[in-house]
Amino acid sequence: MILQQLVEYRQQHPEIVHDVVQALQTRSKNLILGSELWDGFVTFCNENKRQDLLSTPLAETLQKAQEALATESWFYCVLRPRVATWLYLRYHLEEQSLEEISANHFLSVKEALVTGKTDNFVLEIDLAPFERDFPKMNQVRSIGHGVEFLNRRFSSRLSAMLTMGDELLYSFLRVHGYNNQPFMINEKIGGVKQLRSALVRALDYLDDKPADTEWDDLKDELARMGFEPGWGRTRANIHKSFSILADLLEAPDHHNLEKFLGRIPMIFNLAILSPHGFFGQKNVLGLPDTGGQIVYILDQVRALETEMQNRLYNQGLDIQPQILIITRLIPDAGETTCNQPEELIEGTDNVHIIRVPFRRKDGSVINQWISRFEVWPYLERFAKESEKAILEKLGRRPDLIIGNYSDGNLVATLLSNSLKVTQCNIAHALEKTKYLYSALFWEDMEDQYHFSCQFTADLIAMNSADFIITSTFQEIAGSNDVVGQYESYSSFTMPNLQRVLHGIDVFDPKFNIVSPGADTNVYFPYYEDNRRLHSLHQEIEQLLFGDQENYRGNYEHSDKPIIFSMARLDRIKNLTGLVELYAQNDRLRQLANLLIIGGTVHPDLSNDEEEREQIYRMHQLFDDYGLDGQVRWLGTRLGKNLSGELYRYIADKKGIFVQPAFFEAFGLTVIESMASGVPTFATLYGGPLEIIVDGVSGYHINPNHNRETAAKIVEFFERCATTPEHWQKISSGAIERVEEKYTWKLYARRLLSLTCIYGFWKYVTDLDRQETDRYLEMLYHLQYKTLAATVTEK
């Protein structure tokens, strides 16, 4: 539609289109960002007094433009008219012709502008041919709801081909067991017809039994009918499982299919991969490459173990589930436990950290920490040793392998291919969208970031995974204005290395949104006084108002409400941006104090170049604006209990939490502050856009517009001063939002249900896509391994 409107407008107003394009083309830049295009167009309208052009199809086109390329004769433009839809155009300035071109054509021109060569013969990666026959969604609203789509597809298949669908369900039931103990059905049920008949007899048998009658009292008769353990612990549970299956065989329904698969005992052991950083339970947060992902996994495994235990108990099985977190052993681990080969997770019965070392080619162990950007040469050997460790600990294959971040997802791919186990990927954050032109100018960044390895590993792992979970829709497909992290891998080029024509399809049903939550034992509303950790208040007041080893600033007026922010001290988290907007707004400085917790105050204590830059920037802001009486900067790491009570302390003082990141994949601190009842202002770029309902459960802010953000915060405090119940209204809205959507209990239930369903699909369909796997194996051995070998060993 947008192309047709543009073509018609050009036909009616060729001179205007030509003048605008020529003005944009002569901005002495070959590579033009979408925002620069729009700014250039607005400038043209203002300079020529043609504000009427701002409401034309030409303006709509430029608003949807993501980037443009300018050559001597041609002007190329990429449009994203809607989420996950891309359109490539070129305009000839002399002939004034407009035409649509392919992604391949656009990428080749882009390469030529960077390399200066027109004969750019590089490896072309195109996974589209392997996906032609696999069902894909076609509606934007379906993105991230892949499991519902697959269930509807199979229900349709059951309805259209009853015998084949029934046989698939029957054969799937026959394969379940654990350590030579069969589950579900035995040899007395030899087919679908017998299964139907046995279900009728079993339901009749159970009808007159008390609801709390246990399996042990029913098993002899049910075994004679052909049923083994796994249907439920009590008569009520068993009857429910039988009824759902009977209904499913009678009249296929995707809701019943999901319910039934979730009741089958399929998940007893999990392996979770998180190789990089310092993975431990204490003294690790804030160390290099160690942050929210660690908190996420520790909370995740506690919730998963509880849910697995509950499911197995209700299924009538006395099996203790096991979860292994596989990470890297770091012999020189400082004050952490990362030099211990095995460690039990606190608060769990049977969740262990298993640490495997990185080794050089000669087999020697690497003792020190290694940046996440430099782990690539060690991952294949790490995967082989991890497989051995998993099998030794569990005594069998795990039922699911979960990868975390790019390196963990690649290792999960290697392990799942070797063990033939269902694979789930969690990106947490994809580096490609965090650095401007990271793919296009990869060669300039290679020594520091090794994006050639990482982006290739991402492509392999994304396409190998049986399913991918994300915290938000934004992570997959962005918004109307912002490209999603996964969407950015659909087509891109890395000049002189590879041209990706079709890397990942966000309409693939492998994508599912499963949002994490906050630990409800730590992050709970400030008004639940009987749960409050009042014993920590003295320590909190010392942090906020007393002398510390690593701090700057003392409040002149300690009675003011506090604006609180806590994050890593790197550029993308934008803590210095928050300090700057506060410093530049006199009214905000009158209304509230500012508390920053992040990094270290002493640059000599940081070995991260980007962090040191932010430290110097923070000190400069303090000096330039005289902030020492209004801003408190703590270079410290808070334990969970202390951070939870600090949020509630901020709420007591009627303060707010601000998350000012330029981009945030999800935003655990946003969830934590909201769960504690603190009104929260958070970036509209990334997950917080979905977490917060603007004006109801918090506020969205634009980190690129400091004045607007400051004005929004000022307006909030002034409104609360005249209408105190407004603070309470937003606080209550935040708590309700978290309880409704963002809890670990909901997360664990959903993840385990997805595992059951994708396990079923892996069994009954060609979901494993053998042709794709062969292509990816070739990409791994011929491209990735060659690139990884170029990374210098430590």
Side-chain angles (χ1 to χ4, degrees), residues 19 23-24 26-27 39-51 53:
D19 290 346
L24 295 173
T26 56
R27 291 172 62 85
D39 290 344
F41 177 61
V42 171
T43 299
F44 175 88
C45 294
N46 292 335
E47 289 177 350
N48 293 276
K49 296 181 172 53
R50 291 299 308 268
Q51 280 75 18
L53 297 180

Side-chain angles (χ1 to χ4, degrees), residues 139-245:
Q139 298 185 45
V140 170
R141 63 187 179 90
S142 296
I143 293 173
H145 303 283
V147 73
E148 289 90 341
F149 172 79
L150 290 179
N151 285 341
R152 287 195 296 270
R153 293 279 301 192
F154 188 74
S155 297
S156 299
R157 185 173 174 180
L158 275 172
S159 299
M161 299 180 291
L162 285 176
T163 301
M164 182 179 295
D166 291 355
E167 290 292 345
L168 288 172
L169 277 173
Y170 163 76
S171 61
F172 188 62
L173 290 176
R174 288 295 305 269
V175 302
H176 290 291
Y178 187 84
N179 290 346
N180 300 318
Q181 165 65 55
F183 297 153
M184 310 310 288
I185 60 177
N186 59 37
E187 69 282 353
K188 293 183 179 179
I189 297 178
V192 175
K193 185 175 180 181
Q194 290 173 298
L195 176 59
R196 290 173 183 270
S197 177
L199 284 170
V200 172
R201 295 198 309 275
L203 288 168
D204 287 342
Y205 169 70
L206 294 173
D207 277 343
D208 61 351
K209 300 292 185 296
D212 59 354
T213 306
E214 297 209 354
W215 172 267
D216 285 345
D217 298 321
L218 304 167
K219 65 180 181 181
D220 292 340
E221 184 61 29
L222 290 175
R224 281 191 285 273
M225 297 180 192
F227 296 105
E228 295 293 332
W231 296 93
R233 181 166 294 271
T234 65
R235 174 262 177 201
N237 284 337
I238 300 165
H239 192 280
K240 181 70 172 177
S241 297
F242 284 163
S243 298
I244 294 173
L245 178 57

Side-chain angles (χ1 to χ4, degrees), residues 361-375:
K361 291 178 183 177
D362 62 7
S364 60
V365 172
I366 299 174
N367 292 323
Q368 72 279 13
W369 164 84
I370 292 177
S371 164
R372 70 186 188 277
F373 297 116
E374 298 175 320
V375 300

Side-chain angles (χ1 to χ4, degrees), residues 397-418:
R397 296 181 305 171
D399 302 298
L400 174 69
I401 293 174
I402 302 176
N404 291 274
Y405 193 69
S406 299
D407 54 345
N409 287 329
L410 183 66
V411 175
T413 297
L414 298 176
L415 286 172
S416 64
N417 287 342
S418 175

Side-chain angles (χ1 to χ4, degrees), residues 650-667:
I650 298 296
D652 291 338
K653 295 182 73 66
K654 295 297 181 282
I656 65 172
F657 182 81
V658 179
Q659 207 275 32
F662 289 114
F663 180 83
E664 184 61 55
F666 179 63

